[in-house]
Amino acid sequence: MPIPLFNSIASWWLKKRFYQMELFLKYPEEVQVELLNQLIITARNTDIGKKYGFETITNYELFRNNVPISKYEDIEPYIERSRRGEHNVFWPTPIRWFAKSSGTTNAKSKFIPVSTESLEDCHFKAGKDMLSLYFNNNEDSKLFTGKSLRLGGSKSLYEDNNTFFGDLSAIIIDNLPFWAEMNSTPSNKISLMNEWETKLEAIINETIQENVTSLAGVPSWMLVLLNKILEKTGKENLFEIWNNLEVYFHGGVSFNPYRDQYERLLPRDNFKYYEIYNASEGFFAIQDRNNSDELLLMLDYGIFYEFIPMETFGTARQKAVPLWEVETGKNYAIVITTNAGLWRYLIGDTVRFTSTSPYRIKVTGRTKHFINVFGEELIIENTEEALKKACKEAGCEIVDYTVAPIFMSGREKGGHEWLIEFRTHPPDMVRFTELLDEGLKSLNSDYEAKRYNNMTLNMPKINIARQGLFYDWLKTYNKLGGQHKIPRLSNQRNYLEEMLGMNGTFSEASGEGGINV
């Protein structure tokens, strides 16, 4: 089929899906309640369904009261049974694929079930919806006249007891429909290569010959690839290589720290950035408007949502609420029930609703990635925004960072210790520290209160990381590429201490402002 004709047909077909979305936009509660009922009925004869009496559950209140909220450790025995070939454990159809994920909070591997239903009705459906929303907002798009440069994780699929495990991206690539494969680069063979650095070189050699019209991948790792492409080709920006490039679909980590660097690589005012929110457990939300920083929560992907207000999270007062009871401006931990057999599963992410008509969110961080040692309740959203402001005013760029508490000792007050790798260093580190501190105060009243007159918290202490430190740390744990990322915030010092140990003699204390350079 000629590419222009394929582009026209695909655009028309994807736009049709936009009108189907209107159902959950108009009737979100009804769509979610019906979905929950379908999930319960479908799984009532599974081991989990029998254990929790799914046959007697006829409404949300009964579901909330009968089925406990679970973490991975709680459901691991059921997953291991399924991985050994048992069927009908937590979902009635056979589970053939498991997305292997260690995350950043636990070295132990997690195997997240991926059912045929979740693959088709969640992950693939979301990929089409991402394009539908984009085409609906950009009717003159020529996306399908070229190819999408996708950057997934390394590692192909591995077989174990007639089931398969690997990165989610490997599972998706292994099952891609023909039309998606036809419009993607690099090839499946290169996409599934195991060794990250060899893979990068192969991607560069293949993609610079293609007509790339879109990019898709995690911002931190995509930036590594794009800078290597410019280095190899000697070009100043990416449009000198791919003149028809029009959009970057990104997710996995906050885009804020990287935006300025991307805008230099892609210096066109009409270039689009579209954010997505997906994980091994499912595909949750998509940016549905041009130039927006909000994500539309997708309600018909076989996922029933609940939310725990963070002010009660982990306490005796903890209680999950359904979608129709959330409030804007509050921080929530997400709980999901899915068509892959995850029942009231705590995925570890936190979000804030910016709108309830329709339901739009911002991802604010992780339930384990915050600092609240001194009552400051610092979350990733705060640090990302404060860093963005400080970098803009100081005229610098960062590669990555992590933050940990400095615990009180005797008469010594507490504080926050940062480790930052700069791409472009600030000319004045004392001023940069002040800007960062001021930014955090303006964004977080609890932090501001603890910093007042150094009452509880001293000025932040900043260590400058040597070039490539965070990359080397991830490489040590075989976590290059894909969804792997640096733990941004922690209530403990173990990550920071380990990275400082790898930083060699590059950093040494230098007095004013608590800065190590």
Side-chain angles (χ1 to χ4, degrees), residues 360-372:
R360 290 196 178 98
I361 61 173
K362 288 185 178 181
V363 181
T364 55
R366 299 278 294 170
T367 56
K368 291 186 178 180
H369 289 191
F370 62 91
I371 301 180
N372 193 30

Side-chain angles (χ1 to χ4, degrees), residues 173-228:
I173 288 169
D174 197 55
N175 289 275
L176 275 177
F178 80 94
W179 63 268
E181 170 61 19
M182 187 168 66
N183 282 276
S184 300
T185 188
S187 64
N188 282 4
K189 181 180 178 181
I190 291 176
S191 294
L192 295 175
M193 288 175 67
N194 287 332
E195 209 283 311
W196 169 252
E197 289 162 338
T198 305
K199 173 180 172 175
L200 275 187
E201 191 64 29
I203 291 174
I204 293 169
N205 292 334
E206 181 172 308
T207 57
I208 58 176
Q209 309 300 326
E210 297 282 4
N211 174 29
V212 173
T213 54
S214 67
L215 307 171
V218 176
S220 51
W221 296 115
M222 181 63 77
L223 195 60
V224 172
L225 171 64
L226 298 180
N227 279 317
K228 284 184 176 293

